[in-house]
Amino acid sequence: MSSSSEGSDHGAQDSLPIRAHRPNGASDDRGLAGSTPTPSVPGSVAELARQEIEYSHSASDDPFFNSYRKLAQGPDQSEPDADEDASELAPSILNQALASPRDSFSTPDDTPSFQASILSSVGSPSAPPSPASLASTRRRSPAASPRPFDRRFQSRLSSLALGTSRPSSPAFLKLHSRQSSISSQLIRPESEHDTPPAPWEVVRWTKLKKLSGQLFSEAGKRNFGKATGISIAAVIAVGTAKGIILIFDYNQTLKSIIGPGSKAVEAGAVTSLAISADHTTVAAGHASGHVFTWDLAKPARPFLHIPPVPSPQPGPRRADGHVPDMAVVHLGFLGTRHTAVVSADDRGMAFSHLATRGLGAAGRSVKTQRILGRYPNDLPTAGRARKPSTVLAFATLPLGNVSQVTDEMGLVAMLTPYLLVIVSTTPVAQTQHKAARPKDKMAHGALTGCLAWFPAVKLKAVDADAPRPTSTTKLVYCWSNILTILDVTEQKPSEASAREAPPELIFSPRTRWKGEEPIAAVQWLSRSVLGVLTITQQLLIIEDGPDALRTTDSFDLIHKHIYHHDFFSQQLQALVEPAEGEDASMRGVVADAFYQSLRAYKGRLFVLGFDDVSVGVLSNWADRLSALMDAGEVVRAIELVTSYYTGEADILTVGLPENAQARHTAVEGRLLDTVATALQQAFQDGDDQERSTMHLANACFVACLSVGASAFLFEDVFEAFEDASASGTFLEALEPYVREGQITAIPPTVMKRLIVHYSGSHLQGRLEEMICHLDPNAMDIDQITTLCKQHNLFDAFIYVWNQTIGDYLTPLIDLLSLVTDLGRSPAPQNDAAQDPEHVISALKMFPYLAFTLTSRVYPTGAEMSADVASRAKAELYAFLFSGKNVEWPKKSGTTLLTRSREESEPSFPYLRLFLEFDAPSFLGVLNEAFEDGFLNGAPDRMVNGGTTKNIGDDQIFGLSVTRQYVVSILSEVMSAADYPPSVTIYLDMFIARNLPKFPQFILLSGTALHRVIEGLCRYPSDEIAEDCQLSVEYLLSMYHPPEIDSLIPLFTNARFYRVLKSVYKADHRYAMLVRTYFADPEDQDAVYDCIGDCLRPRAGLTERQVREVKRVVQDHARDLAAIDTVRTAEVIGANAPELHEMILSSLEDDRHTQYIYLRTVLEPDSKRSQDVGGPKRPSNTSFVEAYIRLMCEYDPRHVADYIEALQSGDLRLDKVLPALEDNGVVDAAVMLMAREGQVREAIDRLTSHLSTLEAALLGLLDGAAESPDLANTQEAAADLVEALEKYTRVGIWLCQGQTKTMQGSRSMSKAAVRGSRNAKQELSIDEKLWLDLIDTIVHVTKSVSAHMPHPPPTNRDDSTPTDTQSVSTLDMASITTRLRNLVQQTFTALLNSTTAASSTPTAATASRGPPTQANHAFLRILRAFLARATLSSPSLTELRSVLGTIFSAYAYQESLLALANSLLEKDLFVHVAQIAELRQRGWRPQGQVCEICGRRVWGPGAGAKSGEQ
């Protein structure tokens, strides 16, 4: 109590405010931190100290404080949903805290989603703490144990990095048809599955109604035939089934009807079409094999006619060409020439046709060359069968807008079921590339093939001055569901051979794409966009990116009824339906051809259907954006246009350039217009739902930040949200972008609204983090500092002030002003005295100091530059360790005082103020600061040069501060006269911990260190005992006191057991070391390792030391066993087995512990015993006997097993037999008696016990009718029957063992045995044992069976249960069956034992006489049993019941049959052996006449008559 009073006086005196004093009585009307000092009230701090003492006893049980403390711990230690719950709970908790005097200093959690600033010290409850110390205790940690030097100070920003709530990229850009299932498309995020469908059409279709009306009308079909294919260029050419070609312009006007009146109408249906590169000539292939070309300017007659070649005649072929009646299914022009045509038919043959110039079709000659395939009549290659083939796809390379070497080569790509072949036709036909069909194509699917070229073109230049690049020639080809892009480039020849050598091409497969359906047709919609038609008429839009192919859209075209024709099934039937033994890799079906119905030209897609013709155009980005705005999807519109700007969407599909600069120029203006329009539309619709508004805000942030329109964001966008009363949503959406660093500057107007909104929502912690992530140089300093102070945002205030002003002292003084205001104001009258927010804000001075003095920016934790850090440290050290009051503000003439005007200022006033406020926290700051190299006293920081130029005297002094200086000043200031031990103890810990770390920088005398150790040993509270002991360990690691023995009593009284252990171990005082381990309550388990180390053979201890250690073990034997009995036995057994008896004697009154100890010694666990060296088996049999006696009490079931494993002589029977009998362990007693040769006594003991069990069972059955609990009665009966079975097995074991012994003794005298005994002689000893056992078991079975009542006839009208019914509920049938099984088992064991010694006799042994007398033992025992039963049952009825009991046990038993069979086999063998012996002697008839018929059977005259008979 005296220490508390003394501490209270100090607190009342020293907690006075810092006050600016102006000389000459001038007044300072400015004040610090916006507050006016008020006089202090004596006793107020003492009252707070009393409250803290009450708190220390009750806070742990206070439910309010527990919940509040949990909240203050932050998200790392709270529940997952702590953010939302805590933000709602914080205001109410704060109100409760302010209403309660005791809890007034609990931390109000204004930032439930962030880790609070972590402090590392508390005041001792036994000493009078300051108010800040109380608040520090509650804020820092739930644990009451102060650890001021074991953790580092942290801030919210440095200790926690929160994730952001950034909105994800637009999710609706990968929309496909609900029926599409393409494996190659990217897997969409989970959020995309809930995205509504896009309101735009991927392809805007237009039906060519006028063209379709002319083509598909009844008159058109009658005149022209049905449409069979289309070709698109500057005109639309349509082929028909009547061999006619219709030419339409883009106004759908029929310009020409080609074919009527010519041979073309006789050539059959048009099966292929092509238009020349200059759009003046059209070519048509027909079903009969004819090819016609027509000049569109003169369509009356064909420009060329290429007829099929007649079937070949014998001899060499004179000309090449298509075979008659083979449809020409592919056709194309080469380059710009009208006279160069290539074609392919449905039988796999392709030809190049080159016509000469002449007048009219008849005047021109055509030279045809075969480039692929074989004629049908050609002989196959020897040994190889010709496979069926066709040309599935065929295309000539069109011309691009840039000249290429391939323009003059006439490249033709052909796709067969087996190969891709690319042939150059000029100057001569030559194969340029081959590629085999991929092996991983879809198995058993539709056989399809298609391909399309895209020529090299000039691209737009990135820069206006840069040359325009050229794209690469590309070929897309598809087999079934595999699509491949092939790049074609030219290999530049060397200069020497550039003119002579033909151009060489490089074909490089670039990307491959695998779909889920076979591909029927493919077309290039643009240089990087493909239109892919699947077999189920799904149209896929695929982007050809630089690295991979991406499916951007898909939709159904089934409603278009696309025209398709079967060209290939007839010739490929054998391929897809192979015979047995043939290649089955192509098994499947042959798909119809769609390539004549799907054509692309200049980004438009033309589709020929069965009833109409349609043209489709991909919707561009502007169309899609307008569709979203028209549908009211304003947020999605903003996200879409943002993705177009950033390139995250499929920009190629929607017509945006790949070049980022060009794309930004095209989209930027539209993006800002979209945001403005979307905001106007959204807020006009009255959609004020918080979630949708937040979604809109996030979309606006992403959009504006993408284009760098910060001014538009904070002016137009914020104004729109503010006008809609949704500014809070905007400000909360702003947070993640600030924390991520995307927004570093906020206009003053928005900043003010931000601070007001977050402070009003009790989200000050998150607000401070935002401010600390902003650029301070872009802020209005006056505004931000004023607002931060107004709302107690001191973390943000410190950060902004330090970064902009470079002043590190002003924030510290402002924080001190908060604390002194609290201590001075009268608690009852001034609310500020009870304001926990001021206390919490003031506590930030300690992490602020710790950060700054270790070169870290507060509160972010970033590293300071070397120059800034040096100046900041010098400024703070100069202030903290200034020996007198300083002028503040600088050059103002005002002195910064720490006492009232009536009191004189002490030396080192500011250092004393910190120590009086919270000494543990301040010393914890210095503990961190000592780790910084600034205090090393480097020469470059001295006055002459270095960083001391152009700085004041105070900073020069700060640069000269060293660790030695700090320790010296602290030791001088914190004298015992000025501070109580509860405070100076922290200085002792501080010195003890830092001296070993910096011995070259801190020098202290031995007396001072001795005084430090004494102080640590006299700690005022048990809460800091562990810290003090750890500090002593630190100090003794480098300081070795000369009189260590004088300190041992101090260590003992302080309970510094770890220190004592290290001292005793260093001095080789092993006995005291072991004794210390026993005294240490927190590390008693380690005593075993210590004893083992001391007593092991090679430990190096002298005999005296070993005796002393053993004496200590003896003195603490009971304590040692109480710690861990098993380990005690293991360690003693491995190192000092002679101590077993002494330890056991110390445990006389604890029999269970004795049992555990002996079990460990005598039956050690193998693994554990190996780890400890293995306990040595004691030779003293008294241990074994004692163990068995104890085992009878605690584990009686294990006694028999243990005794069986013992050897003869390991124990004395008379020592354990009474315990065995007293505890009912009869089986073990029988085993021991048998082992000692007392077989007769053993069987008598066993039969007596069986009779006892019989009596108990009968008594139980008799009382069953009156038992109120039949279930327990049934369980007891089952236990008794189980005991009968167990002890019957013991009796069988005993009798079998004796039988084996007797049989061994009989074998010593075979001659005597063979003839001396028979079935009528007296029983031997073993046979008598069997007889007694059988008699007892049969008697038990008969007695129990006699108690089984016969159920009387039941009366249906009487529902009351009778006694008989109660007994019957005991399941008497089951009990009787089990007892009869015992009889059976006993007789079976008897028979097996008596016949085992008699092996199966051979013929040789049988000839010597009957088997051995052992075979008659069973009969003798059975006869003796029946005789005894006759004496005990004089009447025939009773004897019959005995026999019935015996034989009923064998009723319907397989064992009975086995026994009977064994007996019959033995008797039969005896008789057969006798017969065999007689047979060996031979047969001699008595006469020559048969005794039955009287005829002669042998001798003279017997043959004839016998033969007739």
Side-chain angles (χ1 to χ4, degrees):
M1 294 298 295
S2 59
S3 61
S4 299
S5 301
E6 181 182 356
S8 300
D9 294 339
H10 280 285
Q13 179 182 358
D14 298 335
S15 298
L16 296 177
I18 296 179
R19 185 167 49 83
H21 176 68
R22 186 178 296 275
N24 302 324
S27 62
D28 184 8
D29 55 355
R30 181 172 57 180
L32 294 177
S35 61
T36 303
T38 57
S40 62
V41 177
S44 60
V45 177
E47 176 65 16
L48 292 174
R50 183 188 63 78
Q51 293 177 4
E52 183 179 17
I53 295 174
E54 294 176 358
Y55 161 80
S56 65
H57 292 88
S58 60
S60 59
D61 298 328
D62 188 354
F64 163 75
F65 177 73
N66 289 334
S67 61
Y68 193 85
R69 183 178 60 189
K70 181 178 180 182
L71 181 63
Q73 290 172 0
D76 288 347
Q77 304 175 26
S78 60
E79 297 296 329
D81 297 330
D83 284 2
E84 297 180 3
D85 298 337
S87 61
E88 297 176 1
L89 188 61
S92 61
I93 289 180
L94 183 59
N95 295 332
Q96 295 178 30
L98 294 175
S100 174
R102 192 188 66 182
D103 295 327
S104 60
F105 298 102
S106 300
T107 304
D109 190 1
D110 53 10
T111 57
S113 61
F114 290 83
Q115 176 73 30
S117 299
I118 300 175
L119 307 180
S120 60
S121 66
V122 299
S124 172
S126 62
S130 64
S133 178
L134 173 59
S136 173
T137 303
R138 299 191 181 185
R139 176 177 179 81
R140 178 174 55 256
S141 168
S145 176
R147 308 300 296 269
F149 307 111
D150 290 346
R151 56 176 67 92
R152 296 175 63 87
F153 286 89
Q154 296 181 0
S155 68
R156 292 185 180 93
L157 274 66
S158 64
S159 62
L160 183 63
L162 285 183
T164 65
S165 56
R166 278 291 308 277
S168 59
S169 299
F172 54 86
L173 303 176
K174 304 290 189 298
L175 298 176
H176 306 302
S177 167
R178 64 180 178 85
Q179 298 179 359
S180 80
S181 178
I182 307 301
S183 63
S184 61
Q185 71 188 37
L186 297 179
I187 298 176
R188 293 179 291 169
E190 184 179 355
S191 59
E192 290 187 16
H193 295 293
D194 297 331
T195 303
W200 63 77
E201 290 182 304
V202 177
V203 177
R204 293 182 287 110
W205 292 101
T206 302
K207 182 178 179 180
L208 303 181
K209 296 181 180 180
K210 183 178 178 181
L211 184 152
S212 301
Q214 300 176 65
L215 187 61
F216 295 101
S217 64
E218 292 299 328
K221 293 180 180 179
R222 184 172 56 254
N223 296 330
F224 309 130
K226 67 177 183 179
T228 57
I230 59 174
S231 183
I232 310 298
V235 296
I236 302 174
V238 182
T240 68
K242 291 187 176 183
I244 297 174
I245 304 174
L246 304 178
I247 305 297
F248 295 88
D249 62 11
Y250 280 94
N251 292 324
Q252 305 181 47
T253 303
L254 181 60
K255 306 296 291 185
S256 298
I257 303 175
I258 300 175
S262 65
K263 293 183 180 181
V265 297
E266 302 174 0
V270 176
T271 52
S272 57
L273 281 172
I275 300 176
S276 63
D278 59 358
H279 317 306
T280 61
T281 306
V282 62
H286 292 261
S288 59
H290 292 262
V291 177
F292 294 89
T293 64
W294 308 83
D295 189 347
L296 295 180
K298 301 175 181 179
R301 60 177 60 187
F303 180 76
L304 282 180
H305 177 208
I306 306 173
V309 178
S311 299
Q313 302 297 327
R317 182 179 295 276
R318 294 186 295 272
D320 284 326
H322 294 287
V323 178
D325 298 326
M326 291 189 180
V328 179
V329 295
H330 303 287
L331 200 61
F333 287 94
L334 294 175
T336 58
R337 292 177 293 178
H338 303 165
T339 56
V341 181
V342 287
S343 60
D345 57 35
D346 57 359
R347 298 305 172 93
M349 299 183 64
F351 299 92
S352 171
H353 312 281
L354 181 61
T356 60
R357 294 183 179 273
L359 299 176
R364 300 184 183 91
S365 61
V366 179
K367 180 181 179 182
T368 300
Q369 183 180 8
R370 180 166 54 91
I371 58 177
L372 182 69
R374 296 177 180 272
Y375 287 100
N377 295 331
D378 288 352
L379 298 176
T381 305
R384 296 179 59 186
R386 180 178 296 177
K387 295 182 179 180
S389 184
T390 189
V391 180
L392 297 173
F394 181 97
T396 59
L397 176 62
L399 300 178
N401 59 6
V402 59
S403 176
Q404 293 287 304
V405 67
T406 55
D407 296 344
E408 304 299 329
M409 297 178 65
L411 290 183
V412 182
M414 296 167 284
L415 196 73
T416 73
Y418 315 103
L419 291 172
L420 167 70
V421 182
I422 300 178
V423 177
S424 60
T425 58
T426 304
V428 294
Q430 183 179 358
T431 301
Q432 297 289 337
H433 178 70
K434 285 185 179 181
R437 181 187 71 244
K439 296 181 180 180
D440 57 342
K441 76 172 190 64
M442 182 182 296
H444 308 299
L447 176 60
T448 62
C450 51
L451 52 79
W453 288 98
F454 194 90
V457 294
K458 279 280 187 182
L459 303 178
K460 293 183 179 180
V462 178
D463 272 333
D465 300 332
R468 296 175 60 185
T470 303
S471 67
T472 303
T473 301
K474 298 188 290 186
L475 173 69
V476 55
Y477 62 93
C478 311
W479 262 301
S480 187
N481 63 322
I482 306 297
L483 183 147
T484 306
I485 303 294
L486 185 72
D487 289 339
V488 182
T489 56
E490 178 186 2
Q491 183 174 0
K492 301 296 183 181
S494 60
E495 296 182 0
S497 58
R499 296 184 179 181
E500 295 84 3
E504 185 174 351
L505 302 179
I506 300 175
F507 298 87
S508 306
R510 176 163 47 86
T511 53
R512 173 173 288 189
W513 179 89
K514 188 173 183 179
E516 294 186 355
E517 298 177 0
I519 299 171
V522 62
Q523 291 289 306
W524 289 98
L525 301 180
S526 66
R527 182 177 61 86
S528 301
V529 180
L530 283 166
V532 176
L533 182 68
T534 68
I535 197 66
T536 60
Q537 300 189 31
Q538 290 269 325
L539 183 63
L540 310 179
I541 306 301
I542 299 178
E543 278 194 4
D544 178 22
D547 301 323
L549 295 169
R550 295 188 306 164
T551 302
T552 60
D553 288 295
S554 71
F555 50 92
D556 297 330
L557 290 184
I558 192 69
H559 61 281
K560 295 293 182 183
H561 305 290
I562 301 176
Y563 176 80
H564 50 89
H565 186 75
D566 181 11
F567 281 130
F568 311 116
S569 63
Q570 182 178 356
Q571 53 269 33
L572 298 180
Q573 190 70 26
L575 182 64
V576 297
E577 297 180 2
E580 186 176 356
E582 297 182 358
D583 182 16
S585 61
M586 300 293 291
R587 185 182 298 277
V589 296
V590 180
D592 287 356
F594 285 81
Y595 61 88
Q596 295 282 14
S597 308
L598 188 71
R599 300 287 187 175
Y601 183 71
K602 291 188 176 181
R604 293 176 172 83
L605 196 63
F606 292 82
V607 175
L608 172 64
F610 282 95
D611 298 317
D612 58 16
V613 178
S614 301
V615 59
V617 180
L618 283 175
S619 58
N620 59 24
W621 65 277
D623 296 333
R624 301 186 180 199
L625 193 58
S626 299
L628 281 175
M629 294 296 292
D630 294 341
E633 300 284 347
V634 294
V635 176
R636 296 176 65 191
I638 297 174
E639 293 175 339
L640 180 62
V641 70
T642 304
S643 66
Y644 289 153
Y645 184 88
T646 58
E648 296 178 1
D650 303 315
I651 57 176
L652 301 178
T653 303
V654 297
L656 286 171
E658 291 183 82
N659 179 260
Q661 182 178 354
R663 186 176 67 254
H664 292 169
T665 302
V667 178
E668 181 175 355
R670 187 64 179 271
L671 184 148
L672 297 178
D673 292 343
T674 301
V675 171
T677 305
L679 289 171
Q680 182 180 4
Q681 183 175 347
F683 292 129
Q684 283 180 353
D685 294 342
D687 186 5
D688 57 352
Q689 295 183 5
E690 183 178 357
R691 182 175 181 182
S692 59
T693 307
M694 180 61 72
H695 193 185
L696 175 63
N698 282 323
C700 293
F701 272 102
V702 175
C704 295
L705 293 177
S706 299
V707 300
S710 298
F712 178 81
L713 175 65
F714 290 112
E715 293 176 5
D716 297 9
V717 177
F718 179 70
E719 182 180 356
F721 275 88
E722 191 172 27
D723 293 341
S725 300
S727 59
T729 303
F730 179 91
L731 297 172
E732 291 178 10
L734 171 66
E735 180 180 348
Y737 303 96
V738 172
R739 290 209 307 265
E740 287 186 355
Q742 297 187 42
I743 295 178
T744 59
I746 298 178
T749 303
V750 181
M751 175 63 74
K752 181 178 180 180
R753 301 290 179 84
L754 178 69
I755 294 176
V756 171
H757 172 73
Y758 271 76
S759 298
S761 301
H762 302 281
L763 301 174
Q764 290 90 339
R766 292 164 59 181
L767 174 61
E768 285 186 304
E769 183 178 358
M770 293 174 63
I771 296 175
C772 293
H773 279 89
L774 294 172
D775 182 10
N777 297 314
M779 299 179 185
D780 185 335
I781 303 302
D782 292 337
Q783 179 201 46
I784 191 66
T785 54
T786 302
L787 290 173
C788 288
K789 287 184 178 181
Q790 180 181 351
H791 296 281
N792 288 325
L793 305 177
F794 280 93
D795 279 350
F797 166 72
I798 293 171
Y799 176 77
V800 174
W801 192 272
N802 290 161
Q803 298 301 310
T804 56
I805 307 300
D807 177 12
Y808 289 85
L809 186 55
T810 298
L812 183 62
I813 295 176
D814 288 344
L815 291 175
L816 280 172
S817 301
L818 296 176
V819 180
T820 54
D821 287 345
L822 175 65
R824 175 174 182 153
S825 302
Q829 290 83 8
N830 196 336
D831 292 338
Q834 301 293 333
D835 189 356
E837 292 190 4
H838 283 184
V839 178
I840 296 168
S841 299
L843 288 172
K844 294 180 180 180
M845 69 177 72
F846 297 112
Y848 169 57
L849 284 172
F851 273 55
T852 307
L853 296 180
T854 54
S855 305
R856 292 178 291 165
V857 176
Y858 182 83
T860 62
E863 290 293 328
M864 292 182 180
S865 64
D867 182 62
V868 172
S870 179
R871 290 179 179 273
K873 296 172 191 175
E875 186 176 8
L876 292 178
Y877 279 123
F879 175 77
L880 292 174
F881 293 96
S882 173
K884 61 181 180 178
N885 297 85
V886 300
E887 183 182 5
W888 188 262
K890 294 181 179 180
K891 300 180 181 180
S892 64
T894 303
T895 303
L896 191 63
L897 303 178
T898 62
R899 299 291 188 269
S900 63
R901 296 179 182 180
E902 294 78 9
E903 299 178 81
S904 61
E905 291 288 330
S907 61
F908 301 98
Y910 309 114
L911 176 61
R912 292 178 183 273
L913 185 62
F914 276 97
L915 293 174
E916 292 161 0
F917 172 56
D918 192 348
S921 296
F922 181 73
L923 291 174
V925 170
L926 293 180
N927 185 63
E928 287 191 40
F930 267 38
E931 299 176 2
D932 190 77
F934 180 86
L935 298 176
N936 290 343
D940 60 343
R941 293 192 289 105
M942 294 298 103
V943 177
N944 297 325
T947 59
T948 60
K949 295 181 179 179
N950 303 322
I951 61 176
D953 294 340
D954 55 345
Q955 291 194 0
I956 294 177
F957 166 67
L959 291 173
S960 63
V961 173
T962 62
R963 295 182 183 88
Q964 181 67 49
Y965 179 81
V966 171
V967 172
S968 300
I969 296 302
L970 288 174
S971 301
E972 177 184 345
V973 171
M974 298 183 68
S975 61
D978 296 334
Y979 292 90
S982 60
V983 177
T984 58
I985 188 69
Y986 291 102
L987 176 62
D988 295 333
M989 285 192 283
F990 174 76
I991 295 174
R993 288 172 182 251
N994 284 281
L995 181 61
K997 292 190 289 186
F998 309 103
Q1000 70 275 31
F1001 297 107
I1002 304 175
L1003 299 177
L1004 294 176
S1005 64
T1007 303
L1009 295 179
H1010 195 278
R1011 186 170 57 251
V1012 168
I1013 295 177
E1014 289 181 348
L1016 291 172
C1017 292
R1018 296 187 176 94
Y1019 51 86
S1021 172
D1022 290 338
E1023 293 180 353
I1024 60 174
E1026 179 61 26
D1027 278 354
C1028 293
Q1029 180 175 205
L1030 186 61
S1031 301
V1032 172
E1033 290 180 286
Y1034 270 103
L1035 184 57
L1036 292 181
S1037 65
M1038 58 81 58
Y1039 171 62
H1040 303 286
E1043 298 293 336
I1044 190 65
D1045 289 341
S1046 62
L1047 296 175
I1048 289 180
L1050 291 175
F1051 296 152
T1052 304
N1053 293 333
R1055 299 186 299 277
F1056 288 174
Y1057 297 111
R1058 292 199 306 272
V1059 176
L1060 288 171
K1061 292 172 188 176
S1062 61
V1063 171
Y1064 290 142
K1065 190 172 183 179
D1067 292 345
H1068 304 290
R1069 301 178 179 179
Y1070 298 107
M1072 296 301 298
L1073 176 62
V1074 176
R1075 196 179 300 275
T1076 305
Y1077 272 102
F1078 280 113
D1080 188 357
E1082 297 182 358
D1083 194 23
Q1084 289 186 337
D1085 289 339
V1087 70
Y1088 299 105
D1089 296 331
C1090 178
I1091 293 174
D1093 293 339
C1094 294
L1095 297 182
R1096 68 173 184 267
R1098 297 183 180 180
L1101 275 69
T1102 63
E1103 294 183 1
R1104 178 182 177 182
Q1105 290 173 331
V1106 171
R1107 288 196 303 271
E1108 292 176 350
V1109 170
K1110 289 183 179 180
R1111 189 177 301 111
V1112 173
V1113 173
Q1114 292 177 10
D1115 296 340
H1116 295 82
R1118 190 177 183 84
D1119 298 333
L1120 186 65
I1123 297 173
D1124 190 335
T1125 307
V1126 174
R1127 290 198 63 186
T1128 301
E1130 290 174 346
V1131 171
I1132 297 302
N1135 302 283
E1138 66 275 8
L1139 299 179
H1140 281 317
E1141 186 173 359
M1142 180 272 304
I1143 294 177
L1144 288 172
S1145 63
S1146 67
L1147 300 173
E1148 289 181 354
D1149 56 344
D1150 191 352
R1151 295 178 61 80
H1152 185 264
T1153 304
Q1154 280 187 330
Y1155 166 68
I1156 298 298
Y1157 189 93
L1158 287 172
R1159 185 184 64 184
T1160 307
V1161 172
L1162 299 175
E1163 292 185 285
D1165 179 72
S1166 58
K1167 183 178 180 180
R1168 289 176 58 90
S1169 62
Q1170 291 175 4
D1171 295 339
V1172 299
K1176 301 173 183 178
R1177 186 182 186 88
S1179 58
N1180 192 346
T1181 58
S1182 61
F1183 287 173
V1184 179
E1185 296 165 356
Y1187 179 50
I1188 293 176
R1189 289 193 296 269
L1190 293 170
M1191 196 188 306
C1192 291
E1193 298 181 28
Y1194 299 106
D1195 192 7
R1197 294 178 178 271
H1198 182 59
V1199 175
D1201 296 334
Y1202 179 72
I1203 290 176
E1204 187 177 2
L1206 294 177
Q1207 300 177 0
S1208 179
D1210 285 349
L1211 71 153
R1212 293 164 293 184
L1213 182 61
D1214 57 334
K1215 297 296 183 179
V1216 297
L1217 188 58
L1220 296 174
E1221 293 181 347
D1222 293 342
N1223 291 278
V1225 190
V1226 179
D1227 52 347
V1230 170
M1231 294 174 61
L1232 282 176
M1233 295 170 70
R1235 179 177 293 179
E1236 296 296 329
Q1238 301 178 13
V1239 181
R1240 180 70 261 175
E1241 292 79 359
I1243 197 66
D1244 292 342
R1245 181 68 181 87
L1246 181 63
T1247 55
S1248 174
H1249 187 65
L1250 289 174
S1251 299
T1252 303
L1253 294 175
E1254 172 193 355
L1257 182 58
L1258 293 176
L1260 186 65
L1261 296 177
D1262 291 338
E1266 301 177 357
S1267 175
D1269 191 351
L1270 294 177
N1272 290 337
T1273 305
Q1274 178 69 39
E1275 183 178 358
D1279 292 340
L1280 289 173
V1281 174
E1282 183 178 357
L1284 285 170
E1285 293 173 342
K1286 171 184 174 182
Y1287 290 109
T1288 300
R1289 289 191 295 270
V1290 174
I1292 292 173
W1293 168 81
L1294 180 62
C1295 293
Q1296 286 176 339
Q1298 188 63 22
T1299 299
K1300 291 180 181 178
T1301 304
M1302 296 299 295
Q1303 288 174 352
S1305 62
R1306 294 191 193 106
S1307 63
M1308 301 299 297
S1309 179
K1310 294 183 180 180
V1313 171
R1314 183 176 299 127
S1316 60
R1317 304 185 64 201
N1318 53 43
K1320 297 182 179 180
Q1321 291 181 350
E1322 295 183 358
L1323 299 179
S1324 62
I1325 297 176
D1326 59 325
E1327 293 169 351
K1328 291 180 180 179
L1329 298 179
W1330 279 108
L1331 178 59
D1332 292 343
L1333 178 63
I1334 291 173
D1335 185 53
T1336 303
I1337 296 172
V1338 171
H1339 185 271
V1340 171
T1341 304
K1342 183 182 68 171
S1343 300
V1344 174
S1345 299
H1347 272 69
M1348 177 180 289
H1350 298 287
T1354 59
N1355 186 0
R1356 296 184 180 180
D1357 298 333
D1358 187 5
S1359 60
T1360 303
T1362 63
D1363 294 344
T1364 301
Q1365 292 173 343
S1366 299
V1367 175
S1368 63
T1369 59
L1370 292 179
D1371 195 5
M1372 290 297 301
S1374 174
I1375 296 175
T1376 306
T1377 301
R1378 294 174 66 179
L1379 293 177
R1380 287 175 178 175
N1381 287 338
L1382 288 180
V1383 177
Q1384 176 189 348
Q1385 293 174 11
T1386 307
F1387 274 96
T1388 302
L1390 171 61
L1391 183 58
N1392 291 336
S1393 298
T1394 55
T1395 58
S1398 178
S1399 59
T1400 304
T1402 60
T1405 58
S1407 63
R1408 300 171 189 168
T1412 62
Q1413 297 300 325
N1415 296 328
H1416 300 286
F1418 178 79
L1419 299 177
R1420 288 197 300 272
I1421 296 172
L1422 182 59
R1423 182 179 294 110
F1425 168 74
L1426 294 176
R1428 183 179 296 182
T1430 303
L1431 295 176
S1432 61
S1433 302
S1435 65
L1436 183 59
T1437 303
E1438 295 182 357
L1439 181 60
R1440 180 180 179 182
S1441 64
V1442 173
L1443 295 176
T1445 300
I1446 297 174
F1447 293 114
S1448 63
Y1450 288 94
Y1452 307 106
Q1453 295 291 332
E1454 182 180 358
S1455 300
L1456 176 63
L1457 299 178
L1459 289 173
N1461 188 31
S1462 176
L1463 293 174
L1464 291 175
E1465 286 180 354
K1466 293 181 180 298
D1467 293 342
L1468 180 61
F1469 181 81
V1470 172
H1471 294 292
V1472 172
Q1474 294 176 356
I1475 294 173
E1477 182 179 1
L1478 294 175
R1479 179 64 180 269
Q1480 294 297 327
R1481 299 176 183 176
W1483 294 85
R1484 184 174 63 182
Q1486 297 179 356
Q1488 298 178 352
V1489 181
C1490 177
E1491 296 179 354
I1492 298 176
C1493 63
R1495 297 180 184 273
R1496 185 181 294 272
V1497 295
W1498 70 286
K1505 294 182 179 180
S1506 299
E1508 294 175 0
Q1509 295 295 329

